[in-house]
Amino acid sequence: QVQLLESGGGLVQAGSSLRLSCAASGRTFGTTAMAWFRQAPGKEREFVAAISWTENTYYADSVKGRFGISRDNAKTLYLQMNSLIPEDTAVYYCAAGPHVAYMPSDYNYWGQGTQVTVSS
């Protein structure tokens, strides 16, 4: 089992920055890819960014150039979010799985989510 715990969300103004963290605990062996998804009210959960074990990174077009995903070891994942816009408002989830993928169903483990609200 792998446990994921997100932190760092909050209420910010448009143009601001936030850094989300995801701490992984438990058996992390085999969780070679980690990702961030987000879900806004009334919308489906959508892919934001992912990073492979070899640190290749992948981004949704909507955040490319503004967000950065990174990992400092096998157990901590980050999402640096710059130039935030109101459309970025959502609950952000950390996920872990065997390979990089763009669909939520491809990830085995999920955190509980952290709220990010961007005011205009």
Side-chain angles (χ1 to χ4, degrees), residues 4-10 20-22 35-39 45 90-95 109-116:
L4 302 173
L5 182 63
E6 303 97 334
S7 61
L20 305 184
S21 298
C22 174
W36 290 96
F37 284 77
R38 66 186 182 187
Q39 188 166 16
R45 193 167 297 190
V91 177
Y92 283 72
Y93 297 91
C94 170
Y109 303 101
W110 292 86
Q112 85 293 344
T114 185
Q115 177 70 47
V116 172

PDB file of all heavy atoms in Angstrom, residues 4-10 20-22 35-39 45 90-95 109-116:
ATOM      1  N   LEU A   4      -0.630   8.689   0.079  1.00  0.00           N
ATOM      2  CA  LEU A   4      -0.234   9.976  -0.488  1.00  0.00           C
ATOM      3  C   LEU A   4      -0.952  11.086   0.258  1.00  0.00           C
ATOM      4  O   LEU A   4      -2.165  11.005   0.493  1.00  0.00           O
ATOM      5  CB  LEU A   4      -0.592  10.035  -1.972  1.00  0.00           C
ATOM      6  CG  LEU A   4       0.019   8.945  -2.862  1.00  0.00           C
ATOM      7  CD1 LEU A   4      -0.551   9.031  -4.272  1.00  0.00           C
ATOM      8  CD2 LEU A   4       1.527   9.055  -2.887  1.00  0.00           C
ATOM      9  N   LEU A   5      -0.208  12.121   0.619  1.00  0.00           N
ATOM     10  CA  LEU A   5      -0.788  13.236   1.370  1.00  0.00           C
ATOM     11  C   LEU A   5      -0.352  14.547   0.742  1.00  0.00           C
ATOM     12  O   LEU A   5       0.831  14.883   0.749  1.00  0.00           O
ATOM     13  CB  LEU A   5      -0.348  13.169   2.827  1.00  0.00           C
ATOM     14  CG  LEU A   5      -0.924  14.260   3.726  1.00  0.00           C
ATOM     15  CD1 LEU A   5      -2.449  14.140   3.797  1.00  0.00           C
ATOM     16  CD2 LEU A   5      -0.324  14.170   5.124  1.00  0.00           C
ATOM     17  N   GLU A   6      -1.334  15.274   0.205  1.00  0.00           N
ATOM     18  CA  GLU A   6      -1.048  16.559  -0.418  1.00  0.00           C
ATOM     19  C   GLU A   6      -1.090  17.691   0.605  1.00  0.00           C
ATOM     20  O   GLU A   6      -1.778  17.600   1.618  1.00  0.00           O
ATOM     21  CB  GLU A   6      -2.075  16.881  -1.521  1.00  0.00           C
ATOM     22  CG  GLU A   6      -2.175  15.851  -2.620  1.00  0.00           C
ATOM     23  CD  GLU A   6      -3.315  14.884  -2.389  1.00  0.00           C
ATOM     24  OE1 GLU A   6      -3.695  14.692  -1.206  1.00  0.00           O
ATOM     25  OE2 GLU A   6      -3.822  14.308  -3.371  1.00  0.00           O
ATOM     26  N   SER A   7      -0.368  18.754   0.291  1.00  0.00           N
ATOM     27  CA  SER A   7      -0.416  19.973   1.091  1.00  0.00           C
ATOM     28  C   SER A   7      -0.040  21.148   0.208  1.00  0.00           C
ATOM     29  O   SER A   7       0.485  20.960  -0.901  1.00  0.00           O
ATOM     30  CB  SER A   7       0.524  19.881   2.298  1.00  0.00           C
ATOM     31  OG  SER A   7       1.864  19.720   1.869  1.00  0.00           O
ATOM     32  N   GLY A   8      -0.322  22.363   0.700  1.00  0.00           N
ATOM     33  CA  GLY A   8       0.104  23.555  -0.008  1.00  0.00           C
ATOM     34  C   GLY A   8      -0.980  24.324  -0.731  1.00  0.00           C
ATOM     35  O   GLY A   8      -0.711  25.385  -1.297  1.00  0.00           O
ATOM     36  N   GLY A   9      -2.195  23.811  -0.725  1.00  0.00           N
ATOM     37  CA  GLY A   9      -3.273  24.535  -1.385  1.00  0.00           C
ATOM     38  C   GLY A   9      -3.657  25.788  -0.617  1.00  0.00           C
ATOM     39  O   GLY A   9      -3.170  26.035   0.485  1.00  0.00           O
ATOM     40  N   GLY A  10      -4.518  26.595  -1.229  1.00  0.00           N
ATOM     41  CA  GLY A  10      -4.957  27.805  -0.559  1.00  0.00           C
ATOM     42  C   GLY A  10      -5.722  28.717  -1.482  1.00  0.00           C
ATOM     43  O   GLY A  10      -6.042  28.358  -2.621  1.00  0.00           O
ATOM     44  N   LEU A  20       2.500  23.039  -4.472  1.00  0.00           N
ATOM     45  CA  LEU A  20       1.869  21.885  -3.843  1.00  0.00           C
ATOM     46  C   LEU A  20       2.922  20.811  -3.591  1.00  0.00           C
ATOM     47  O   LEU A  20       3.847  20.640  -4.369  1.00  0.00           O
ATOM     48  CB  LEU A  20       0.767  21.321  -4.728  1.00  0.00           C
ATOM     49  CG  LEU A  20      -0.338  22.281  -5.166  1.00  0.00           C
ATOM     50  CD1 LEU A  20      -1.399  21.520  -5.972  1.00  0.00           C
ATOM     51  CD2 LEU A  20      -0.965  22.993  -3.985  1.00  0.00           C
ATOM     52  N   SER A  21       2.739  20.090  -2.491  1.00  0.00           N
ATOM     53  CA  SER A  21       3.604  18.967  -2.158  1.00  0.00           C
ATOM     54  C   SER A  21       2.768  17.718  -1.975  1.00  0.00           C
ATOM     55  O   SER A  21       1.599  17.792  -1.592  1.00  0.00           O
ATOM     56  CB  SER A  21       4.381  19.248  -0.871  1.00  0.00           C
ATOM     57  OG  SER A  21       5.212  20.368  -1.012  1.00  0.00           O
ATOM     58  N   CYS A  22       3.384  16.582  -2.231  1.00  0.00           N
ATOM     59  CA  CYS A  22       2.728  15.292  -2.028  1.00  0.00           C
ATOM     60  C   CYS A  22       3.741  14.353  -1.390  1.00  0.00           C
ATOM     61  O   CYS A  22       4.743  13.998  -2.019  1.00  0.00           O
ATOM     62  CB  CYS A  22       2.234  14.739  -3.348  1.00  0.00           C
ATOM     63  SG  CYS A  22       1.570  13.066  -3.239  1.00  0.00           S
ATOM     64  N   ALA A  35       1.849  11.779 -10.604  1.00  0.00           N
ATOM     65  CA  ALA A  35       1.136  12.770 -11.392  1.00  0.00           C
ATOM     66  C   ALA A  35       0.272  13.656 -10.513  1.00  0.00           C
ATOM     67  O   ALA A  35      -0.008  13.322  -9.365  1.00  0.00           O
ATOM     68  CB  ALA A  35       0.261  12.085 -12.434  1.00  0.00           C
ATOM     69  N   TRP A  36      -0.131  14.769 -11.084  1.00  0.00           N
ATOM     70  CA  TRP A  36      -1.128  15.649 -10.495  1.00  0.00           C
ATOM     71  C   TRP A  36      -2.341  15.695 -11.415  1.00  0.00           C
ATOM     72  O   TRP A  36      -2.200  15.850 -12.630  1.00  0.00           O
ATOM     73  CB  TRP A  36      -0.578  17.056 -10.317  1.00  0.00           C
ATOM     74  CG  TRP A  36       0.474  17.180  -9.267  1.00  0.00           C
ATOM     75  CD1 TRP A  36       1.827  17.154  -9.448  1.00  0.00           C
ATOM     76  CD2 TRP A  36       0.261  17.339  -7.858  1.00  0.00           C
ATOM     77  NE1 TRP A  36       2.467  17.290  -8.242  1.00  0.00           N
ATOM     78  CE2 TRP A  36       1.529  17.412  -7.243  1.00  0.00           C
ATOM     79  CE3 TRP A  36      -0.878  17.439  -7.063  1.00  0.00           C
ATOM     80  CZ2 TRP A  36       1.703  17.576  -5.872  1.00  0.00           C
ATOM     81  CZ3 TRP A  36      -0.713  17.602  -5.692  1.00  0.00           C
ATOM     82  CH2 TRP A  36       0.559  17.672  -5.109  1.00  0.00           C
ATOM     83  N   PHE A  37      -3.489  15.567 -10.808  1.00  0.00           N
ATOM     84  CA  PHE A  37      -4.760  15.762 -11.488  1.00  0.00           C
ATOM     85  C   PHE A  37      -5.512  16.857 -10.747  1.00  0.00           C
ATOM     86  O   PHE A  37      -5.175  17.202  -9.621  1.00  0.00           O
ATOM     87  CB  PHE A  37      -5.590  14.476 -11.469  1.00  0.00           C
ATOM     88  CG  PHE A  37      -5.119  13.438 -12.445  1.00  0.00           C
ATOM     89  CD1 PHE A  37      -3.998  12.671 -12.178  1.00  0.00           C
ATOM     90  CD2 PHE A  37      -5.804  13.213 -13.630  1.00  0.00           C
ATOM     91  CE1 PHE A  37      -3.554  11.713 -13.080  1.00  0.00           C
ATOM     92  CE2 PHE A  37      -5.381  12.254 -14.534  1.00  0.00           C
ATOM     93  CZ  PHE A  37      -4.252  11.508 -14.255  1.00  0.00           C
ATOM     94  N   ARG A  38      -6.553  17.367 -11.374  1.00  0.00           N
ATOM     95  CA  ARG A  38      -7.401  18.341 -10.678  1.00  0.00           C
ATOM     96  C   ARG A  38      -8.851  18.145 -11.089  1.00  0.00           C
ATOM     97  O   ARG A  38      -9.153  17.617 -12.168  1.00  0.00           O
ATOM     98  CB  ARG A  38      -6.963  19.775 -10.979  1.00  0.00           C
ATOM     99  CG  ARG A  38      -7.138  20.212 -12.428  1.00  0.00           C
ATOM    100  CD  ARG A  38      -6.519  21.597 -12.634  1.00  0.00           C
ATOM    101  NE  ARG A  38      -6.710  22.081 -13.998  1.00  0.00           N
ATOM    102  CZ  ARG A  38      -6.159  23.197 -14.468  1.00  0.00           C
ATOM    103  NH1 ARG A  38      -5.393  23.957 -13.676  1.00  0.00           N
ATOM    104  NH2 ARG A  38      -6.379  23.564 -15.719  1.00  0.00           N
ATOM    105  N   GLN A  39      -9.726  18.570 -10.198  1.00  0.00           N
ATOM    106  CA  GLN A  39     -11.160  18.432 -10.461  1.00  0.00           C
ATOM    107  C   GLN A  39     -11.876  19.675  -9.974  1.00  0.00           C
ATOM    108  O   GLN A  39     -11.851  19.995  -8.774  1.00  0.00           O
ATOM    109  CB  GLN A  39     -11.719  17.190  -9.765  1.00  0.00           C
ATOM    110  CG  GLN A  39     -13.149  16.880 -10.154  1.00  0.00           C
ATOM    111  CD  GLN A  39     -13.556  15.478  -9.737  1.00  0.00           C
ATOM    112  OE1 GLN A  39     -12.909  14.835  -8.913  1.00  0.00           O
ATOM    113  NE2 GLN A  39     -14.621  14.977 -10.348  1.00  0.00           N
ATOM    114  N   ARG A  45     -12.386  14.773 -13.392  1.00  0.00           N
ATOM    115  CA  ARG A  45     -10.996  14.896 -12.996  1.00  0.00           C
ATOM    116  C   ARG A  45     -10.123  14.927 -14.246  1.00  0.00           C
ATOM    117  O   ARG A  45     -10.278  14.098 -15.130  1.00  0.00           O
ATOM    118  CB  ARG A  45     -10.607  13.732 -12.090  1.00  0.00           C
ATOM    119  CG  ARG A  45      -9.298  13.913 -11.368  1.00  0.00           C
ATOM    120  CD  ARG A  45      -9.139  12.870 -10.269  1.00  0.00           C
ATOM    121  NE  ARG A  45     -10.171  13.012  -9.237  1.00  0.00           N
ATOM    122  CZ  ARG A  45     -10.142  12.364  -8.078  1.00  0.00           C
ATOM    123  NH1 ARG A  45      -9.141  11.544  -7.803  1.00  0.00           N
ATOM    124  NH2 ARG A  45     -11.124  12.531  -7.206  1.00  0.00           N
ATOM    125  N   ALA A  90      -9.566  24.441  -8.408  1.00  0.00           N
ATOM    126  CA  ALA A  90      -9.964  23.026  -8.385  1.00  0.00           C
ATOM    127  C   ALA A  90      -9.387  22.380  -7.137  1.00  0.00           C
ATOM    128  O   ALA A  90      -8.564  22.974  -6.441  1.00  0.00           O
ATOM    129  CB  ALA A  90      -9.448  22.302  -9.625  1.00  0.00           C
ATOM    130  N   VAL A  91      -9.821  21.157  -6.909  1.00  0.00           N
ATOM    131  CA  VAL A  91      -9.137  20.307  -5.938  1.00  0.00           C
ATOM    132  C   VAL A  91      -8.039  19.573  -6.699  1.00  0.00           C
ATOM    133  O   VAL A  91      -8.298  18.963  -7.741  1.00  0.00           O
ATOM    134  CB  VAL A  91     -10.099  19.306  -5.284  1.00  0.00           C
ATOM    135  CG1 VAL A  91      -9.340  18.379  -4.333  1.00  0.00           C
ATOM    136  CG2 VAL A  91     -11.213  20.033  -4.541  1.00  0.00           C
ATOM    137  N   TYR A  92      -6.830  19.656  -6.186  1.00  0.00           N
ATOM    138  CA  TYR A  92      -5.682  19.029  -6.830  1.00  0.00           C
ATOM    139  C   TYR A  92      -5.332  17.736  -6.104  1.00  0.00           C
ATOM    140  O   TYR A  92      -5.209  17.702  -4.870  1.00  0.00           O
ATOM    141  CB  TYR A  92      -4.496  19.998  -6.812  1.00  0.00           C
ATOM    142  CG  TYR A  92      -4.622  21.070  -7.855  1.00  0.00           C
ATOM    143  CD1 TYR A  92      -5.563  22.088  -7.714  1.00  0.00           C
ATOM    144  CD2 TYR A  92      -3.834  21.060  -8.997  1.00  0.00           C
ATOM    145  CE1 TYR A  92      -5.711  23.069  -8.685  1.00  0.00           C
ATOM    146  CE2 TYR A  92      -3.967  22.044  -9.977  1.00  0.00           C
ATOM    147  CZ  TYR A  92      -4.913  23.038  -9.811  1.00  0.00           C
ATOM    148  OH  TYR A  92      -5.054  24.013 -10.775  1.00  0.00           O
ATOM    149  N   TYR A  93      -5.171  16.686  -6.897  1.00  0.00           N
ATOM    150  CA  TYR A  93      -4.883  15.359  -6.374  1.00  0.00           C
ATOM    151  C   TYR A  93      -3.524  14.865  -6.855  1.00  0.00           C
ATOM    152  O   TYR A  93      -3.178  15.023  -8.024  1.00  0.00           O
ATOM    153  CB  TYR A  93      -5.935  14.357  -6.837  1.00  0.00           C
ATOM    154  CG  TYR A  93      -7.327  14.642  -6.341  1.00  0.00           C
ATOM    155  CD1 TYR A  93      -8.203  15.424  -7.082  1.00  0.00           C
ATOM    156  CD2 TYR A  93      -7.775  14.110  -5.139  1.00  0.00           C
ATOM    157  CE1 TYR A  93      -9.488  15.689  -6.635  1.00  0.00           C
ATOM    158  CE2 TYR A  93      -9.057  14.357  -4.680  1.00  0.00           C
ATOM    159  CZ  TYR A  93      -9.904  15.152  -5.434  1.00  0.00           C
ATOM    160  OH  TYR A  93     -11.175  15.398  -4.978  1.00  0.00           O
ATOM    161  N   CYS A  94      -2.825  14.221  -5.959  1.00  0.00           N
ATOM    162  CA  CYS A  94      -1.583  13.527  -6.265  1.00  0.00           C
ATOM    163  C   CYS A  94      -1.920  12.064  -6.557  1.00  0.00           C
ATOM    164  O   CYS A  94      -2.794  11.495  -5.892  1.00  0.00           O
ATOM    165  CB  CYS A  94      -0.667  13.657  -5.059  1.00  0.00           C
ATOM    166  SG  CYS A  94       0.800  12.645  -5.087  1.00  0.00           S
ATOM    167  N   ALA A  95      -1.236  11.470  -7.534  1.00  0.00           N
ATOM    168  CA  ALA A  95      -1.491  10.080  -7.880  1.00  0.00           C
ATOM    169  C   ALA A  95      -0.182   9.371  -8.178  1.00  0.00           C
ATOM    170  O   ALA A  95       0.796  10.000  -8.618  1.00  0.00           O
ATOM    171  CB  ALA A  95      -2.415   9.993  -9.096  1.00  0.00           C
ATOM    172  N   TYR A 109      -2.910   4.712  -6.852  1.00  0.00           N
ATOM    173  CA  TYR A 109      -2.983   5.333  -5.533  1.00  0.00           C
ATOM    174  C   TYR A 109      -3.272   6.825  -5.670  1.00  0.00           C
ATOM    175  O   TYR A 109      -2.756   7.498  -6.571  1.00  0.00           O
ATOM    176  CB  TYR A 109      -1.673   5.124  -4.771  1.00  0.00           C
ATOM    177  CG  TYR A 109      -1.315   3.673  -4.616  1.00  0.00           C
ATOM    178  CD1 TYR A 109      -0.363   3.071  -5.428  1.00  0.00           C
ATOM    179  CD2 TYR A 109      -1.969   2.888  -3.661  1.00  0.00           C
ATOM    180  CE1 TYR A 109      -0.051   1.739  -5.295  1.00  0.00           C
ATOM    181  CE2 TYR A 109      -1.660   1.547  -3.529  1.00  0.00           C
ATOM    182  CZ  TYR A 109      -0.699   0.982  -4.344  1.00  0.00           C
ATOM    183  OH  TYR A 109      -0.404  -0.348  -4.209  1.00  0.00           O
ATOM    184  N   TRP A 110      -4.055   7.324  -4.724  1.00  0.00           N
ATOM    185  CA  TRP A 110      -4.492   8.719  -4.741  1.00  0.00           C
ATOM    186  C   TRP A 110      -4.418   9.335  -3.358  1.00  0.00           C
ATOM    187  O   TRP A 110      -4.642   8.671  -2.352  1.00  0.00           O
ATOM    188  CB  TRP A 110      -5.937   8.803  -5.233  1.00  0.00           C
ATOM    189  CG  TRP A 110      -6.091   8.446  -6.665  1.00  0.00           C
ATOM    190  CD1 TRP A 110      -6.257   7.204  -7.199  1.00  0.00           C
ATOM    191  CD2 TRP A 110      -6.055   9.349  -7.770  1.00  0.00           C
ATOM    192  NE1 TRP A 110      -6.332   7.283  -8.572  1.00  0.00           N
ATOM    193  CE2 TRP A 110      -6.218   8.584  -8.942  1.00  0.00           C
ATOM    194  CE3 TRP A 110      -5.916  10.733  -7.894  1.00  0.00           C
ATOM    195  CZ2 TRP A 110      -6.240   9.152 -10.230  1.00  0.00           C
ATOM    196  CZ3 TRP A 110      -5.947  11.309  -9.156  1.00  0.00           C
ATOM    197  CH2 TRP A 110      -6.103  10.522 -10.304  1.00  0.00           C
ATOM    198  N   GLY A 111      -4.129  10.634  -3.337  1.00  0.00           N
ATOM    199  CA  GLY A 111      -4.244  11.387  -2.110  1.00  0.00           C
ATOM    200  C   GLY A 111      -5.669  11.880  -1.933  1.00  0.00           C
ATOM    201  O   GLY A 111      -6.540  11.639  -2.779  1.00  0.00           O
ATOM    202  N   GLN A 112      -5.886  12.611  -0.847  1.00  0.00           N
ATOM    203  CA  GLN A 112      -7.235  13.080  -0.526  1.00  0.00           C
ATOM    204  C   GLN A 112      -7.562  14.410  -1.196  1.00  0.00           C
ATOM    205  O   GLN A 112      -8.720  14.818  -1.220  1.00  0.00           O
ATOM    206  CB  GLN A 112      -7.403  13.226   0.997  1.00  0.00           C
ATOM    207  CG  GLN A 112      -6.919  14.544   1.585  1.00  0.00           C
ATOM    208  CD  GLN A 112      -5.417  14.742   1.497  1.00  0.00           C
ATOM    209  OE1 GLN A 112      -4.660  13.795   1.271  1.00  0.00           O
ATOM    210  NE2 GLN A 112      -4.965  15.974   1.677  1.00  0.00           N
ATOM    211  N   GLY A 113      -6.554  15.064  -1.749  1.00  0.00           N
ATOM    212  CA  GLY A 113      -6.764  16.311  -2.464  1.00  0.00           C
ATOM    213  C   GLY A 113      -6.512  17.541  -1.623  1.00  0.00           C
ATOM    214  O   GLY A 113      -6.647  17.520  -0.394  1.00  0.00           O
ATOM    215  N   THR A 114      -6.152  18.628  -2.284  1.00  0.00           N
ATOM    216  CA  THR A 114      -5.969  19.915  -1.631  1.00  0.00           C
ATOM    217  C   THR A 114      -6.614  20.990  -2.504  1.00  0.00           C
ATOM    218  O   THR A 114      -6.443  20.983  -3.722  1.00  0.00           O
ATOM    219  CB  THR A 114      -4.478  20.208  -1.368  1.00  0.00           C
ATOM    220  OG1 THR A 114      -4.349  21.427  -0.633  1.00  0.00           O
ATOM    221  CG2 THR A 114      -3.677  20.318  -2.655  1.00  0.00           C
ATOM    222  N   GLN A 115      -7.347  21.885  -1.862  1.00  0.00           N
ATOM    223  CA  GLN A 115      -8.107  22.889  -2.607  1.00  0.00           C
ATOM    224  C   GLN A 115      -7.218  24.054  -3.013  1.00  0.00           C
ATOM    225  O   GLN A 115      -6.483  24.611  -2.196  1.00  0.00           O
ATOM    226  CB  GLN A 115      -9.255  23.414  -1.752  1.00  0.00           C
ATOM    227  CG  GLN A 115     -10.071  24.528  -2.393  1.00  0.00           C
ATOM    228  CD  GLN A 115     -10.915  24.050  -3.549  1.00  0.00           C
ATOM    229  OE1 GLN A 115     -11.597  23.028  -3.455  1.00  0.00           O
ATOM    230  NE2 GLN A 115     -10.893  24.780  -4.669  1.00  0.00           N
ATOM    231  N   VAL A 116      -7.319  24.425  -4.277  1.00  0.00           N
ATOM    232  CA  VAL A 116      -6.670  25.633  -4.785  1.00  0.00           C
ATOM    233  C   VAL A 116      -7.761  26.535  -5.339  1.00  0.00           C
ATOM    234  O   VAL A 116      -8.544  26.119  -6.198  1.00  0.00           O
ATOM    235  CB  VAL A 116      -5.645  25.304  -5.887  1.00  0.00           C
ATOM    236  CG1 VAL A 116      -5.127  26.589  -6.530  1.00  0.00           C
ATOM    237  CG2 VAL A 116      -4.496  24.488  -5.324  1.00  0.00           C
TER     238      VAL A 116
END
